[in-house]
Amino acid sequence: MGVGLTAITTVAATGLLVGQARQARRIIPLAEAPPPRGDGVYGARFPGRPITMVILGDSSAAGYGVHRPRETPGALLATGTSRRLRRPVRLYRFAVVGCLSAGLRPQIDAALEREPDLAVILIGGNDVTNRTPPSVAVRYLVDAVRELRAAGAEVVVGTCPDLGAIQPIKPPLRWLARRWSRQLAAAQTVAVVEAGGQTVSLGDLLGPRFAAEPTRMFAWDHFHPSAEGYAIAAAALLPTVLAALGAGPERRPAQTGDQGVRSLPEAAHEAARHAGTEVRAVRVGGHEHGPGGRWAQLRRRGAWFGHPRSGDTESPEETGTPAPTTLDGAATSTVEERA
């Protein structure tokens, strides 16, 4: 009788999950027109050789859901980087809507032709919705990071967002989506840091503001971020981008104390639970590894909790003023405040 009840419960639960998945797919429309391109030179009036930045990944990297190039994540990051470093930034976007981690290969090949100084990768959401095994998805991501690092590029990865925050997904499917997302994000963090990159957790799609203001933070399809949502994501990524490029005090050698330092697996799981957490490799007492594996440092960025300013974005070929600073002194990009 116990076996029979368990089987009936499993079948019923499976049917419920399948039904919820179908309902969510009906509510969330398929991608239509491609997102705007933001390729070009930002801060062209600044002196010096342009920093070459490439944006790789899926629709969240491409900026699907916005209507103007300056609202895309790449344009926001290029603007903020140019203003903080007072140097021009040449941006190339190779991200593709609907891309899985297995589809990064063509993007990497195209990006390497540009000899990038920095690569920003946002990937993972489609791997969750397509139920790609985390080990498979991570393997393709690690290959991408290693190739970019071997070519001399710094790599910053925005890990898988928490799809449990998507409103059309109802419990219990929402709970499973959150679990799968965090598992993939933690696995991505461990693998990317081991491969020489840095990660920033995108967590529950950029924090409590998305839950409190879904109509404002999500685009018309209820799945992708709106212009303001992407602005918050860019504000979270920008300090790590600047640190990767050697800007400010972030590049100083890490202290030998244990503040913010964990074993890499512990850091990865903690970051997956807290949006906006940066994870990078660090030495403790001159050693890269401890009893629990490679050492890693966690950092929570003040920019994550800030609010964008109004009327302060630039387009390619425009220059601007230095960006405002976050609570810990790192720069953030500025964007238009939407009504």
Side-chain angles (χ1 to χ4, degrees), residues 48-110:
R49 178 185 68 83
I51 298 169
T52 300
M53 177 187 298
V54 295
I55 306 295
L56 315 172
D58 55 22
S59 55
S60 62
Y64 185 83
V66 301
H67 303 289
R68 291 182 283 189
R70 65 183 181 181
E71 297 171 333
T72 60
L76 292 167
L77 288 172
T79 297
T81 301
S82 172
R83 289 175 175 177
R84 177 59 184 264
L85 301 185
R86 304 195 68 79
R87 285 181 57 185
V89 174
R90 187 180 301 277
L91 175 69
Y92 296 99
R93 192 207 83 194
F94 299 108
V96 176
V97 175
C99 182
L100 283 75
S101 297
L104 284 173
R105 176 75 269 162
Q107 297 184 33
I108 297 300
D109 291 340

Coordinates of all heavy atoms in Angstrom, one line a residue, residues 48-110:
G48 N 43.7 57.6 -25.3 CA 44.2 56.2 -25.0 C 43.6 55.2 -26.0 O 42.7 55.5 -26.7
R49 N 44.2 54.0 -26.0 CA 43.8 52.9 -26.8 C 42.4 52.4 -26.3 O 42.3 52.2 -25.1 CB 44.8 51.8 -26.8 CG 44.4 50.6 -27.6 CD 45.4 49.5 -27.5 NE 45.4 48.9 -26.1 CZ 44.5 48.0 -25.7 NH1 43.6 47.5 -26.5 NH2 44.6 47.5 -24.5
P50 N 41.5 52.2 -27.1 CA 40.2 51.7 -26.6 C 40.3 50.3 -26.0 O 41.1 49.5 -26.4 CB 39.3 51.6 -27.9 CG 39.9 52.5 -28.9 CD 41.4 52.5 -28.6
I51 N 39.6 50.1 -24.9 CA 39.5 48.8 -24.2 C 38.5 48.0 -25.0 O 37.4 48.5 -25.3 CB 39.0 49.0 -22.8 CG1 40.0 49.7 -22.0 CG2 38.7 47.6 -22.2 CD1 39.5 50.2 -20.6
T52 N 38.8 46.8 -25.5 CA 37.9 46.0 -26.2 C 37.1 45.1 -25.3 O 37.7 44.3 -24.6 CB 38.7 45.2 -27.3 OG1 39.4 46.0 -28.2 CG2 37.7 44.3 -28.1
M53 N 35.8 45.3 -25.3 CA 34.9 44.5 -24.4 C 34.0 43.7 -25.3 O 33.4 44.2 -26.2 CB 34.1 45.4 -23.5 CG 33.1 44.7 -22.6 SD 32.0 45.9 -21.7 CE 33.2 46.8 -20.7
V54 N 33.8 42.4 -25.0 CA 32.9 41.6 -25.7 C 31.8 41.0 -24.7 O 32.1 40.7 -23.6 CB 33.6 40.4 -26.4 CG1 34.5 40.9 -27.5 CG2 34.3 39.5 -25.4
I55 N 30.6 40.9 -25.2 CA 29.5 40.5 -24.4 C 29.0 39.2 -25.0 O 28.6 39.1 -26.2 CB 28.3 41.5 -24.4 CG1 28.8 42.8 -23.9 CG2 27.2 41.0 -23.5 CD1 29.3 42.9 -22.4
L56 N 29.0 38.1 -24.2 CA 28.6 36.8 -24.7 C 27.5 36.2 -23.8 O 27.4 36.5 -22.7 CB 29.9 35.8 -24.6 CG 31.2 36.4 -25.2 CD1 32.3 35.4 -24.9 CD2 31.1 36.7 -26.7
G57 N 26.8 35.2 -24.4 CA 25.8 34.5 -23.6 C 24.5 34.4 -24.3 O 24.3 34.3 -25.5
D58 N 23.4 34.6 -23.5 CA 22.0 34.4 -23.9 C 21.3 35.7 -24.0 O 21.9 36.8 -24.1 CB 21.3 33.4 -23.0 CG 21.4 33.8 -21.5 OD1 21.5 35.0 -21.3 OD2 21.2 32.9 -20.7
S59 N 20.0 35.6 -23.9 CA 19.1 36.8 -24.1 C 19.4 37.9 -23.0 O 19.2 39.1 -23.3 CB 17.7 36.4 -24.1 OG 17.3 35.7 -22.9
S60 N 19.8 37.4 -21.8 CA 20.1 38.4 -20.7 C 21.3 39.2 -21.0 O 21.4 40.3 -20.6 CB 20.2 37.7 -19.4 OG 21.3 36.8 -19.4
A61 N 22.2 38.6 -21.8 CA 23.4 39.3 -22.2 C 23.1 40.2 -23.4 O 23.7 41.3 -23.5 CB 24.6 38.4 -22.5
A62 N 22.3 39.7 -24.3 CA 21.9 40.5 -25.5 C 21.0 41.7 -25.2 O 21.0 42.7 -25.9 CB 21.2 39.6 -26.5
G63 N 20.3 41.6 -24.1 CA 19.4 42.7 -23.7 C 18.0 42.6 -24.2 O 17.3 43.6 -24.5
Y64 N 17.6 41.3 -24.4 CA 16.2 41.2 -25.0 C 15.2 41.7 -24.0 O 15.2 41.5 -22.8 CB 15.9 39.7 -25.2 CG 14.6 39.4 -25.8 CD1 14.5 39.5 -27.2 CD2 13.5 39.1 -25.1 CE1 13.2 39.3 -27.8 CE2 12.2 38.9 -25.7 CZ 12.1 39.0 -27.1 OH 10.9 38.8 -27.7
G65 N 14.2 42.5 -24.5 CA 13.2 43.1 -23.7 C 13.3 44.6 -23.7 O 12.3 45.3 -23.2
V66 N 14.4 45.2 -24.2 CA 14.5 46.7 -24.2 C 14.4 47.1 -25.7 O 14.5 46.3 -26.6 CB 15.8 47.2 -23.6 CG1 15.8 46.8 -22.1 CG2 17.0 46.6 -24.3
H67 N 14.3 48.4 -25.9 CA 14.1 48.9 -27.3 C 15.2 49.8 -27.8 O 15.2 50.0 -29.0 CB 12.7 49.6 -27.3 CG 11.6 48.8 -26.9 ND1 11.0 47.8 -27.6 CD2 10.8 48.9 -25.7 CE1 10.0 47.2 -27.0 NE2 9.9 47.9 -25.8
R68 N 16.1 50.2 -26.9 CA 17.1 51.1 -27.4 C 18.5 50.6 -27.0 O 18.7 50.0 -26.0 CB 16.9 52.5 -26.7 CG 15.7 53.3 -27.2 CD 15.6 54.6 -26.6 NE 15.1 54.5 -25.2 CZ 14.7 55.6 -24.5 NH1 14.8 56.8 -25.0 NH2 14.2 55.4 -23.3
P69 N 19.4 50.7 -27.9 CA 20.8 50.2 -27.7 C 21.4 50.6 -26.4 O 22.0 49.8 -25.7 CB 21.6 50.7 -28.9 CG 20.6 51.0 -30.0 CD 19.4 51.4 -29.3
R70 N 21.2 51.8 -25.9 CA 21.8 52.3 -24.7 C 21.2 51.6 -23.5 O 21.8 51.7 -22.4 CB 21.7 53.8 -24.6 CG 20.2 54.3 -24.4 CD 20.2 55.8 -24.4 NE 18.8 56.3 -24.2 CZ 18.5 57.6 -24.1 NH1 19.5 58.5 -24.3 NH2 17.3 58.0 -24.0
E71 N 20.1 50.9 -23.6 CA 19.5 50.2 -22.5 C 20.0 48.8 -22.3 O 19.7 48.1 -21.3 CB 18.0 50.2 -22.6 CG 17.4 51.5 -22.6 CD 15.9 51.5 -23.0 OE1 15.5 50.6 -23.8 OE2 15.2 52.4 -22.6
T72 N 20.8 48.3 -23.2 CA 21.3 46.9 -23.2 C 22.4 46.8 -22.1 O 23.1 47.8 -21.9 CB 21.8 46.4 -24.5 OG1 22.9 47.3 -24.9 CG2 20.7 46.5 -25.6
P73 N 22.7 45.6 -21.6 CA 23.7 45.5 -20.6 C 25.1 45.8 -21.1 O 25.9 46.5 -20.4 CB 23.7 44.0 -20.2 CG 22.3 43.6 -20.5 CD 21.9 44.4 -21.7
G74 N 25.4 45.5 -22.3 CA 26.7 45.8 -22.9 C 26.9 47.3 -23.0 O 28.0 47.8 -22.6
A75 N 25.9 48.0 -23.4 CA 26.1 49.5 -23.5 C 26.2 50.1 -22.1 O 27.0 51.0 -21.9 CB 24.9 50.1 -24.2
L76 N 25.5 49.6 -21.2 CA 25.6 50.1 -19.8 C 27.0 49.9 -19.2 O 27.6 50.7 -18.6 CB 24.5 49.5 -18.9 CG 23.1 49.9 -19.2 CD1 22.1 49.0 -18.5 CD2 22.8 51.4 -18.9
L77 N 27.5 48.7 -19.4 CA 28.8 48.3 -18.9 C 29.9 49.1 -19.6 O 30.9 49.6 -19.0 CB 29.1 46.8 -19.0 CG 28.3 45.9 -18.1 CD1 28.5 44.5 -18.5 CD2 28.7 46.2 -16.7
A78 N 29.8 49.3 -20.9 CA 30.8 50.1 -21.7 C 30.8 51.5 -21.2 O 31.8 52.1 -21.1 CB 30.5 49.9 -23.2
T79 N 29.6 52.1 -21.0 CA 29.5 53.5 -20.6 C 30.1 53.6 -19.2 O 30.9 54.5 -19.0 CB 28.0 53.9 -20.5 OG1 27.4 53.8 -21.8 CG2 27.9 55.3 -19.9
G80 N 29.8 52.8 -18.3 CA 30.3 52.9 -16.9 C 31.8 52.7 -16.9 O 32.6 53.4 -16.2
T81 N 32.3 51.7 -17.7 CA 33.8 51.5 -17.7 C 34.5 52.6 -18.3 O 35.6 53.1 -17.8 CB 34.1 50.2 -18.5 OG1 33.4 49.1 -17.9 CG2 35.6 49.9 -18.6
S82 N 34.0 53.2 -19.4 CA 34.6 54.4 -20.0 C 34.7 55.5 -19.1 O 35.7 56.2 -19.0 CB 33.9 54.7 -21.3 OG 34.3 55.9 -21.9
R83 N 33.6 55.8 -18.4 CA 33.6 57.0 -17.5 C 34.5 56.8 -16.3 O 35.2 57.8 -15.9 CB 32.2 57.2 -17.0 CG 31.2 57.7 -18.1 CD 29.8 57.8 -17.6 NE 29.0 58.4 -18.6 CZ 27.7 58.6 -18.5 NH1 27.1 58.2 -17.4 NH2 27.0 59.1 -19.5
R84 N 34.6 55.6 -15.7 CA 35.4 55.4 -14.6 C 36.9 55.4 -15.0 O 37.7 56.1 -14.3 CB 35.1 54.1 -13.9 CG 35.9 53.7 -12.7 CD 35.9 54.8 -11.6 NE 36.8 54.5 -10.5 CZ 36.5 53.9 -9.4 NH1 35.2 53.5 -9.2 NH2 37.3 53.7 -8.5
L85 N 37.2 54.8 -16.1 CA 38.7 54.7 -16.4 C 39.1 55.9 -17.3 O 40.3 56.1 -17.6 CB 38.9 53.4 -17.2 CG 38.6 52.1 -16.4 CD1 39.0 50.9 -17.3 CD2 39.3 52.1 -15.1
R86 N 38.1 56.7 -17.8 CA 38.3 57.8 -18.7 C 39.1 57.4 -19.9 O 40.1 58.0 -20.3 CB 39.0 58.9 -17.9 CG 38.3 59.4 -16.7 CD 38.7 60.7 -16.1 NE 38.4 61.8 -17.1 CZ 37.2 62.4 -17.2 NH1 36.2 62.0 -16.4 NH2 37.0 63.4 -18.0
R87 N 38.7 56.3 -20.4 CA 39.2 55.7 -21.7 C 38.1 55.3 -22.6 O 37.0 54.9 -22.1 CB 40.2 54.5 -21.4 CG 41.5 54.9 -20.8 CD 42.3 53.6 -20.5 NE 42.5 52.9 -21.7 CZ 43.1 51.7 -21.7 NH1 43.6 51.1 -20.6 NH2 43.3 51.0 -22.9
P88 N 38.3 55.3 -23.9 CA 37.3 54.7 -24.8 C 37.2 53.2 -24.6 O 38.1 52.5 -24.3 CB 37.8 55.1 -26.2 CG 39.3 55.3 -26.0 CD 39.5 55.8 -24.6
V89 N 36.0 52.7 -24.9 CA 35.7 51.3 -24.8 C 35.0 50.9 -26.1 O 34.0 51.5 -26.5 CB 34.7 51.0 -23.6 CG1 34.3 49.5 -23.6 CG2 35.4 51.3 -22.3
R90 N 35.6 49.9 -26.8 CA 35.0 49.4 -28.0 C 34.2 48.1 -27.6 O 34.7 47.2 -27.1 CB 36.0 49.1 -29.0 CG 35.5 48.7 -30.4 CD 36.6 48.4 -31.4 NE 37.4 49.6 -31.6 CZ 37.2 50.6 -32.4 NH1 36.1 50.6 -33.1 NH2 38.0 51.6 -32.5
L91 N 32.9 48.2 -27.9 CA 32.0 47.1 -27.5 C 31.6 46.2 -28.7 O 31.2 46.8 -29.7 CB 30.7 47.7 -26.8 CG 29.6 46.7 -26.4 CD1 30.1 45.8 -25.3 CD2 28.4 47.4 -26.1
Y92 N 31.6 44.9 -28.5 CA 31.1 44.0 -29.5 C 30.2 43.0 -28.7 O 30.5 42.4 -27.7 CB 32.2 43.1 -30.1 CG 33.2 43.9 -30.9 CD1 34.4 44.3 -30.4 CD2 32.9 44.3 -32.2 CE1 35.4 45.0 -31.1 CE2 33.8 45.0 -33.0 CZ 35.1 45.4 -32.4 OH 36.0 46.1 -33.2
R93 N 29.0 42.9 -29.2 CA 28.0 41.9 -28.6 C 27.8 40.7 -29.5 O 27.4 40.8 -30.7 CB 26.7 42.6 -28.5 CG 25.7 41.8 -27.6 CD 24.3 42.1 -27.9 NE 23.8 41.3 -29.1 CZ 22.7 41.6 -29.8 NH1 21.9 42.6 -29.5 NH2 22.4 40.8 -30.8
F94 N 28.2 39.6 -29.0 CA 28.0 38.3 -29.7 C 26.9 37.4 -29.1 O 26.7 36.3 -29.6 CB 29.3 37.6 -29.8 CG 30.4 38.3 -30.5 CD1 31.5 38.9 -29.8 CD2 30.3 38.5 -31.9 CE1 32.5 39.6 -30.5 CE2 31.3 39.2 -32.6 CZ 32.4 39.8 -31.8
A95 N 26.3 37.9 -28.0 CA 25.3 37.1 -27.3 C 24.1 36.8 -28.2 O 23.7 37.7 -29.1 CB 24.8 37.8 -26.1
V96 N 23.5 35.7 -28.1 CA 22.4 35.2 -28.9 C 21.2 34.8 -28.1 O 21.3 34.1 -27.1 CB 22.8 34.0 -29.8 CG1 21.6 33.5 -30.6 CG2 24.0 34.4 -30.7
V97 N 20.0 35.3 -28.4 CA 18.8 35.0 -27.7 C 18.5 33.5 -27.8 O 18.6 32.9 -28.9 CB 17.6 35.8 -28.3 CG1 16.3 35.3 -27.6 CG2 17.8 37.3 -28.1
G98 N 18.3 32.9 -26.7 CA 18.0 31.4 -26.6 C 19.2 30.6 -26.5 O 19.1 29.3 -26.5
C99 N 20.4 31.1 -26.4 CA 21.6 30.3 -26.3 C 21.7 29.5 -25.1 O 21.4 30.0 -24.0 CB 22.8 31.3 -26.5 SG 24.4 30.4 -26.5
L100 N 22.2 28.3 -25.2 CA 22.5 27.4 -24.1 C 24.1 27.5 -24.0 O 24.8 28.0 -24.8 CB 22.1 26.0 -24.3 CG 20.6 25.7 -24.1 CD1 19.8 26.2 -25.2 CD2 20.4 24.2 -23.9
S101 N 24.6 27.0 -22.9 CA 26.0 27.0 -22.7 C 26.7 26.2 -23.8 O 27.8 26.5 -24.2 CB 26.4 26.3 -21.3 OG 25.9 27.1 -20.3
A102 N 26.0 25.2 -24.3 CA 26.6 24.4 -25.4 C 26.7 25.2 -26.7 O 27.5 24.9 -27.6 CB 25.7 23.2 -25.7
G103 N 26.0 26.4 -26.8 CA 26.1 27.2 -28.0 C 27.1 28.3 -27.9 O 27.1 29.2 -28.7
L104 N 28.0 28.3 -26.9 CA 29.0 29.4 -26.7 C 30.1 29.3 -27.7 O 30.8 30.3 -28.0 CB 29.6 29.4 -25.3 CG 28.7 29.9 -24.2 CD1 29.3 29.7 -22.8 CD2 28.4 31.4 -24.4
R105 N 30.3 28.2 -28.3 CA 31.5 28.0 -29.2 C 31.6 29.0 -30.3 O 32.6 29.6 -30.5 CB 31.4 26.5 -29.8 CG 32.5 26.2 -30.8 CD 33.8 25.9 -30.2 NE 34.6 27.1 -30.1 CZ 35.7 27.3 -29.3 NH1 36.0 26.3 -28.5 NH2 36.4 28.4 -29.4
P106 N 30.5 29.2 -31.1 CA 30.6 30.2 -32.2 C 30.9 31.6 -31.7 O 31.6 32.4 -32.3 CB 29.3 30.1 -32.9 CG 28.7 28.8 -32.6 CD 29.2 28.5 -31.2
Q107 N 30.3 31.9 -30.5 CA 30.5 33.3 -29.9 C 31.9 33.4 -29.5 O 32.5 34.5 -29.7 CB 29.6 33.4 -28.7 CG 28.1 33.4 -29.0 CD 27.2 33.7 -27.8 OE1 27.6 34.5 -26.9 NE2 26.1 33.1 -27.7
I108 N 32.5 32.4 -28.9 CA 33.9 32.5 -28.5 C 34.8 32.7 -29.7 O 35.8 33.5 -29.7 CB 34.4 31.2 -27.7 CG1 33.5 31.1 -26.5 CG2 35.8 31.3 -27.4 CD1 33.7 32.3 -25.5
D109 N 34.6 31.9 -30.8 CA 35.4 32.1 -32.0 C 35.3 33.5 -32.6 O 36.4 34.1 -32.9 CB 34.9 31.1 -33.1 CG 35.2 29.6 -32.7 OD1 36.1 29.4 -31.8 OD2 34.6 28.7 -33.2
A110 N 34.1 34.1 -32.6 CA 34.0 35.4 -33.1 C 34.6 36.4 -32.2 O 35.3 37.4 -32.6 CB 32.5 35.7 -33.3

